[in-house]
Amino acid sequence: MKIFLRFSLFLTFSLCLPHLSIAQSGLITGKVTDADQNLSLPGATLRLSGGNRYTISDDQGNFEFLNVPAGTYTVSVSYLGYKTGSVEVTVTGGRAVNTVIKMEDGAVVASEVVIMGDRLRGQAKALNQQKNNANITNIVSADQMGRFPDANIGDAIKRVPGVTMQNDQGEARDIIIRGLAPELNSVSLNGDRIPSAEGDNRRIQMDLIPSDMIQTIEVNKTLTPDMDADAIGGSVNLITRAAPNGLRLSGTLSSGYNPIREKALYTGSFVAGSRFAGGRLGVVLSGSYNNNDYGSDDVEAKWKEEDGKIFLEEQEIRHYFVQRIRRSVALASDFKIDDRNRLSFNGMYNWRDDRENRYRLSFTDIEPDGDGYKGTVERETKGGIDNSRNKSGRLEDQRVKNLSFKGEHLISAALDLDWTLSYSDARELRPNERYISFAAEDQAIGLDLANPKRPLASSAATLSDFSLNEISENRNYTKERESGAKINLRVPLSVVNGQKGRLRFGGRLRLKNKERQNNFFNYSPLGSNEDIFNNFGQIPSRTFSGSNFQPGEQYVAGSFVSAGYLGGLHLGNGSLFEQEDKPDEYAAGNYDAREVITAGYLRWDQDFNTRLSMILGARLEHTSLRYTGYVVEDEEDIVGEVTNKNDYLNVMPSATLKYSASDNLIFRLAATTSIARPNYFDLVPYFDNRIGDEELLIGNESLKAAYAWNFDFMVENYFRSVGLVSGGAFYKNIQDFIYRYRDGSYTTEKFASDFPDQGNPIPAGKEFTLIQPRNGGSVNVYGFEVAIQRQLDFLPGFLKGFGVYANYTFTRSDTDGIFNEEGEERTDVKFPGTSPNLFNFSLSYETKRLSSRLSANYADSYVFELGGNNFEDSYYDSQFFLDANASYKITGALRLFGEANNLTNQPLRFYQGIKSRTMQAEFYRPRYNLGIKFDL
């Protein structure tokens, strides 16, 4: 509270400063818009006559010139795909002059007029911003997103060079940038950080936000000193819709089909906005609703090597039934107090219900037995209580809220200031989640390993061999909150006569709190109720044959307790069930984490001539931590809380050069530094002893933040006909990177050596699996990327309507400081997340009415998680997606569209050690959608 009070006093003092204007200087402010559609044009280049004075319009098309001597000037504007625009203005000392510049599309290239269709308008906005950004970025506009069949932001971002996504239930969720894991990247909304609803990490679930709620996606490959530094791979900024320059009404209605479960999907969205009070007040309200009823077919396995023999230690056959409902609403407004002062507000609320039923046949604890194998067979149903929210399914209720209030002030002709106050929170609630399982132990297990890509475990056990194993109900709750404040100031400072120079400086405060509070109860039937569960075959069930099961019809799951029956059990009735608290299932995972991050920066922008410019600066970030966790002994005894505190300071210098060989040929070179803080739960001093699973999960409060030096080079050539060809290289050296150490042969002797003050939970002769986050030594990540976006307007006749969008990224990595289960340093280990080859290709065709696109996305296989040795390493297999979409303008305001996703029926596949050894193969089948859109 004291910090916010000081911030407010400083802000008030700044705004009350007398005008420091040099008597002969004034200001030019204004906006750049599309003359035809009255839409703002971000990324426009504006030049002032009489020297090398220029500026770039912001994401709302606004611009400003500071410290302009009194006189009459011509302001000229250039924008890819548009004719050059200009306006004459007269500046009076001590005053601000405001102007609106309307740009006409249809630039002339080689005697041909560029026809700006819907796709090219969106591409023009994106490329103009990318061209004029000070750092290396990739921009995707809303118009471009609409041309891809992508329902959520994650699916849209995977089209960007150097980006791949990790999927969940067939939807892109976690972002990997240039081969670096999701924890090494950051995601913001309008420049303010989005908190994570994940329980134990900092990952932002990109499938939570519908793509139709975002105006622009900005992927920053390099950082400048005024940006948050915790983004080694890259920083993604999602920019929501700003208030329009006039009345705008638009909406979308669509429905589709999911063959995997033969269910429908429904989508609707709207945008309504206008300006009031003589144009000084702008308001836009947007909303989105998506109801997707689908599922997946999944087979999973775990391999073991023993005495030279390789076999399945576990296998599972899973049938998923999933319903995801996304709701999103956003409100944005801006108020122009006068030509010097603007206020704006942005708010966004995302709410997703994820209901899931899972039927799982498991073969576990498989061990050699003479010439065959034996193990345990289990049939488990996952669901939830039968009420209006869970509906007999496991409900994952995720909600993310972001609020920000911003001010922009031209204090004088030589000083401008902007500030932001923000609040955001994310929470995940899983109430009344239920499981019921029946097991048959010491069963003969048949293993067919002739084709390790499709291994098969089987058993002759009948339903009469199964007895009740467990009935449970749990509640999981995670919440993260972040309050933030930042202030930025800018003054002219040039050491080169006649050239533009700016000094920026400012501060940033982030107050973060994350907590997880879970519980877990087992239930035992009582009295006559016990008899019901003694006969598995008499309980209402659901049976699955292998028919149409995507991994293969040989995987026959059989019978399970129905989700409806599980949901209807009266577990709270003490005469029917005895409740038992199970701290071993949750206590070690509960925690409370608090972080305070304070930052300051200095950034100097200097032009040396009309071609060469530089950004030089540094950022300091101080992190203060307090983490509280629980110590659990003998699986279920909570012996107390442990609180650890820590703080550290990171100094991050950076330098960026930009050389414009011509108006459209740009060379960029950057040397930057960045960090990645450990996951929340990794720092918690927890000790989780899972005797039943023979696993030890242990926190590491000594983890350091990873620190990286990043070097980037990029060449970009822009086409006036709205296109781009680019190529560049990158190199990252990361010190103290964090990985998950795994020792699958962890003995009582090893435990005694590593944790002499803890009670030893490992029986003599047994081998547990130890999992602990640790700092490695260093990792080098390097590669190159090339991209092209081009309308093939040089072709004759109807062929001019074709366009291409393609990019390729090559990435390699090498590491040191990773150790195996024997304590020996591993060699030739790849950094998890580093996909060697990424490729996107899209072929489009557009006329005045028709717009169509066929899009391909390929990501090579990569290390997902390191094990104790090469045999235990898990890999995320390569993926190839093929999507298609088309739209047709019925009228100027009405459009019909159709979409088809995952035409290749690409599964999510993991493998262990070698490519042929399947760990998981999960299939989703294609998805189809048809709808109508209006835009007034």
Side-chain angles (χ1 to χ4, degrees):
M1 181 59 70
K2 289 182 180 179
I3 296 176
F4 274 103
L5 181 59
R6 292 172 185 170
F7 178 83
S8 301
L9 291 173
F10 175 76
L11 180 61
T12 303
F13 174 73
S14 299
L15 295 179
C16 293
L17 282 173
H19 284 196
L20 304 175
S21 313
I22 300 172
Q24 294 80 20
S25 296
L27 303 165
I28 302 175
T29 64
K31 176 171 282 196
V32 183
T33 65
D34 181 306
D36 181 41
Q37 298 187 352
N38 198 28
L39 299 175
S40 299
L41 295 180
T45 302
L46 299 100
R47 294 189 176 276
L48 201 62
S49 58
N52 185 31
R53 297 178 67 95
Y54 67 92
T55 191
I56 307 300
S57 62
D58 65 15
D59 53 23
Q60 298 182 37
N62 298 313
F63 68 90
E64 60 189 42
F65 285 96
L66 299 180
N67 201 24
V68 182
T72 300
Y73 299 88
T74 298
V75 180
S76 60
V77 188
S78 59
Y79 207 77
L80 294 175
Y82 286 73
K83 299 175 183 177
T84 300
S86 65
V87 65
E88 190 173 275
V89 297
T90 299
V91 177
T92 303
R95 294 184 176 274
V97 59
N98 185 266
T99 184
V100 175
I101 305 174
K102 295 182 178 295
M103 302 289 288
E104 295 182 1
D105 62 23
V108 178
V109 179
S111 301
E112 294 284 341
V113 177
V114 178
I115 306 300
M116 295 290 286
D118 292 332
R119 183 186 61 80
L120 273 187
R121 286 183 191 276
Q123 190 164 303
K125 290 179 182 179
L127 291 183
N128 278 283
Q129 292 178 82
Q130 183 171 317
K131 175 186 175 184
N132 288 313
N133 276 348
N135 58 328
I136 297 175
T137 60
N138 292 107
I139 308 293
V140 182
S141 72
D143 302 288
Q144 287 178 297
M145 283 186 278
R147 301 300 173 257
F148 291 106
D150 301 324
N152 67 61
I153 286 299
D155 283 316
I157 290 179
K158 74 183 182 185
R159 315 285 179 185
V160 172
V163 174
T164 185
M165 302 296 298
Q166 294 175 349
N167 290 356
D168 178 75
Q169 286 296 335
E171 295 184 330
R173 170 167 289 188
D174 297 320
I175 185 170
I176 294 176
I177 302 177
R178 287 180 164 177
L180 295 180
E183 290 85 353
L184 303 183
N185 308 305
S186 69
V187 182
S188 301
L189 187 71
N190 300 314
D192 299 311
R193 296 299 287 272
I194 301 176
S196 170
E198 295 273 359
D200 55 2
N201 58 56
R202 300 178 186 268
R203 298 184 178 191
I204 307 302
Q205 295 186 338
M206 304 300 289
D207 57 349
L208 182 62
I209 302 175
S211 61
D212 52 12
M213 295 296 291
I214 300 300
Q215 181 68 33
T216 303
I217 300 173
E218 184 179 70
V219 181
N220 296 283
K221 303 289 184 63
T222 62
L223 304 180
T224 53
D226 53 323
M227 301 170 66
D228 289 336
D230 50 342
I232 293 178
S235 170
V236 177
N237 187 26
L238 307 176
I239 301 172
T240 57
R241 287 186 176 85
N245 300 314
L247 178 64
R248 184 190 176 189
L249 295 172
S250 67
T252 301
L253 286 174
S254 68
S255 183
Y257 176 65
N258 286 306
I260 187 73
R261 294 293 178 257
E262 299 182 336
K263 297 286 187 178
L265 63 95
Y266 306 96
T267 300
S269 65
F270 74 90
V271 177
S274 190
R275 302 203 75 83
F276 309 92
R280 295 170 62 192
L281 174 64
V283 179
V284 61
L285 178 68
S286 54
S288 176
Y289 175 84
N290 174 257
N291 189 331
N292 194 5
D293 206 339
Y294 65 124
S296 63
D297 295 341
D298 181 32
V299 173
E300 301 188 13
K302 181 179 178 181
W303 296 80
K304 185 175 183 178
E305 184 175 25
E306 185 177 282
D307 299 328
K309 192 174 187 178
I310 296 175
F311 58 94
L312 289 183
E313 185 179 24
E314 299 176 4
Q315 185 170 56
E316 298 178 356
I317 301 172
R318 302 181 174 195
H319 290 255
Y320 284 94
F321 294 80
V322 178
Q323 181 190 34
R324 283 184 176 170
I325 301 177
R326 295 185 185 88
R327 313 162 188 87
S328 185
V329 63
L331 175 67
S333 64
D334 62 80
F335 181 68
K336 183 178 179 181
I337 301 173
D338 53 36
D339 290 340
R340 293 175 176 270
N341 300 281
R342 282 201 307 266
L343 299 175
S344 61
F345 170 81
N346 279 283
M348 190 175 194
Y349 186 77
N350 295 286
W351 174 15
R352 183 184 70 186
D353 286 338
D354 185 309
R355 295 185 179 91
E356 177 185 296
N357 289 118
R358 184 189 69 196
Y359 300 91
R360 182 180 73 179
L361 172 64
S362 302
F363 301 89
T364 60
D365 300 324
I366 301 174
E367 293 286 350
D369 182 34
D371 294 331
Y373 299 88
K374 69 175 182 179
T376 298
V377 186
E378 183 181 56
R379 298 182 177 275
E380 180 189 75
T381 300
K382 175 183 180 180
I385 192 172
D386 184 13
N387 60 21
S388 60
R389 292 288 293 136
N390 289 67
K391 299 180 179 180
S392 295
R394 186 276 289 136
L395 173 64
E396 185 178 86
D397 179 345
Q398 285 196 346
R399 308 188 189 197
V400 178
K401 174 174 57 186
N402 297 81
L403 304 171
S404 68
F405 188 49
K406 182 177 182 180
E408 299 171 89
H409 310 280
L410 299 176
I411 304 300
S412 74
L415 172 65
D416 75 350
L417 173 152
D418 68 80
W419 54 267
T420 303
L421 295 175
S422 63
Y423 172 80
S424 56
D425 61 51
R427 67 98 155 147
E428 179 181 287
L429 174 65
R430 291 165 60 170
N432 303 108
E433 180 176 339
R434 292 182 171 185
Y435 296 82
I436 185 171
S437 62
F438 285 77
E441 299 179 348
D442 293 323
Q443 298 295 311
I445 305 295
L447 293 183
D448 182 354
L449 307 179
N451 179 7
K453 282 192 172 182
R454 292 288 187 269
L456 177 63
S458 60
S459 170
T462 64
L463 294 184
S464 61
D465 295 319
F466 288 81
S467 58
L468 179 65
N469 180 51
E470 184 178 67
I471 302 174
S472 68
E473 181 175 289
N474 59 277
R475 178 186 184 272
N476 294 358
Y477 177 81
T478 301
K479 186 163 188 175
E480 180 178 345
R481 306 172 185 87
E482 178 166 333
S483 299
K486 59 184 174 182
I487 187 168
N488 304 291
L489 299 99
R490 185 174 64 138
V491 297
L493 176 64
S494 177
V495 298
V496 181
N497 187 36
Q499 298 299 323
K500 180 180 179 180
R502 292 287 186 269
L503 181 66
R504 307 171 194 237
F505 53 97
R508 175 88 153 110
L509 170 68
R510 298 170 62 193
L511 306 175
K512 301 167 66 68
N513 169 237
K514 187 156 190 172
E515 61 177 319
R516 179 163 64 184
Q517 295 297 329
N518 298 344
N519 63 34
F520 191 99
F521 299 94
N522 273 350
Y523 293 86
S524 302
L526 296 175
S528 60
N529 192 40
E530 187 175 0
D531 297 334
I532 298 174
F533 294 92
N534 285 335
N535 192 340
F536 183 22
Q538 297 302 310
I539 296 176
S541 63
R542 182 165 188 174
T543 302
F544 299 93
S545 68
S547 177
N548 265 342
F549 191 65
Q550 295 298 297
E553 295 191 352
Q554 68 271 31
Y555 298 105
V556 180
S559 296
F560 302 84
V561 174
S562 72
Y565 182 80
L566 173 62
L569 293 177
H570 299 289
L571 298 181
N573 188 334
S575 64
L576 297 177
F577 295 94
E578 179 184 5
Q579 176 183 285
E580 180 187 3
D581 188 14
K582 299 290 289 182
D584 56 307
E585 295 285 351
Y586 65 86
N590 290 340
Y591 67 92
D592 183 89
R594 297 178 187 271
E595 288 184 354
V596 177
I597 301 168
T598 52
Y601 75 91
L602 193 66
R603 168 180 165 174
W604 178 35
D605 295 50
Q606 177 66 61
D607 288 1
F608 297 103
N609 51 49
T610 58
R611 298 296 183 191
L612 180 63
S613 62
M614 172 198 72
I615 299 175
L616 189 66
R619 185 178 185 89
L620 282 72
E621 289 198 355
H622 179 268
T623 306
S624 177
L625 312 171
R626 192 188 77 180
Y627 283 75
T628 300
Y630 299 91
V631 177
V632 180
E633 291 184 355
D634 298 326
E635 291 200 84
E636 57 185 25
D637 296 327
I638 303 175
V639 298
E641 293 183 353
V642 177
T643 298
N644 281 337
K645 297 180 181 180
N646 192 15
D647 65 273
Y648 53 88
L649 175 69
N650 294 109
V651 180
M652 288 151 290
S654 65
T656 300
L657 292 173
K658 180 179 179 181
Y659 179 74
S660 300
S662 67
D663 287 345
N664 293 317
L665 177 60
I666 299 171
F667 294 82
R668 304 177 192 268
L669 184 66
T672 61
T673 51
S674 51
I675 62 172
R677 296 181 177 88
N679 284 327
Y680 295 104
F681 190 53
D682 290 347
L683 285 167
V684 174
Y686 70 91
F687 189 92
D688 189 0
N689 173 15
R690 302 182 179 180
I691 292 179
D693 298 325
E694 296 186 347
E695 286 184 342
L696 289 174
L697 286 76
I698 301 175
N700 188 349
E701 63 269 25
S702 300
L703 282 176
K704 302 175 184 177
Y707 188 96
W709 275 96
N710 314 291
F711 301 91
D712 294 83
F713 173 73
M714 184 65 66
V715 183
E716 302 164 347
N717 186 65
Y718 294 86
F719 302 110
R720 290 182 59 201
S721 56
V722 193
L724 163 73
V725 60
S726 65
F730 57 89
Y731 169 80
K732 298 176 183 290
N733 176 260
I734 308 171
Q735 297 293 325
D736 295 320
F737 68 90
I738 299 168
Y739 73 103
R740 306 201 77 74
Y741 175 76
R742 178 186 294 267
D743 184 348
S745 303
Y746 201 65
T747 62
T748 186
E749 291 79 16
K750 290 182 179 180
F751 184 94
S753 174
D754 292 342
F755 305 100
D757 297 330
Q758 290 279 355
N760 200 321
I762 305 177
K766 279 283 189 178
E767 292 185 349
F768 277 32
T769 296
L770 170 71
I771 302 174
Q772 185 183 37
R774 294 186 179 180
N775 285 112
S778 66
V779 60
N780 298 306
V781 180
Y782 50 93
F784 67 87
E785 62 185 46
V786 292
I788 183 170
Q789 297 181 50
R790 183 68 197 265
Q791 188 71 20
L792 305 182
D793 47 16
F794 52 84
L795 296 177
F798 78 96
L799 296 177
K800 289 184 178 181
F802 283 103
V804 295
Y805 176 101
N807 55 70
Y808 169 75
T809 303
F810 170 87
T811 309
R812 286 290 186 273
S813 67
D814 55 72
T815 65
D816 62 57
I818 294 179
F819 297 87
N820 64 18
E821 56 195 11
E822 302 299 330
E824 302 166 338
E825 185 171 0
R826 298 182 61 182
T827 59
D828 195 29
V829 177
K830 302 303 180 186
F831 193 56
T834 307
S835 178
N837 300 286
L838 301 174
F839 180 68
N840 280 293
F841 179 79
S842 176
L843 180 66
S844 63
Y845 186 77
E846 186 170 12
T847 66
K848 290 183 177 180
R849 290 185 177 273
L850 176 68
S851 178
S852 59
R853 186 186 292 265
L854 184 68
S855 305
N857 173 267
Y858 173 79
D860 209 347
S861 56
Y862 57 87
V863 176
F864 178 73
E865 188 174 79
L866 294 172
N869 52 49
N870 292 339
F871 182 84
E872 294 178 358
D873 291 344
S874 63
Y875 291 78
Y876 198 109
D877 201 4
S878 58
Q879 294 187 313
F880 178 74
F881 292 96
L882 187 65
D883 308 312
N885 66 318
S887 65
Y888 184 79
K889 274 189 175 181
I890 303 172
T891 69
L894 199 61
R895 182 193 305 271
L896 183 71
F897 66 90
E899 302 168 339
N901 294 80
N902 191 22
L903 293 173
T904 54
N905 191 21
Q906 174 64 52
L908 169 67
R909 183 176 183 268
F910 290 85
Y911 60 88
Q912 183 178 324
I914 59 175
K915 198 175 184 70
S916 62
R917 201 174 289 143
T918 295
M919 288 185 69
Q920 181 178 5
E922 186 172 58
F923 290 79
Y924 315 99
R925 297 187 67 180
R927 183 178 71 242
Y928 307 98
N929 197 34
L930 184 67
I932 193 166
K933 180 177 182 178
F934 71 89
D935 198 341
L936 303 179

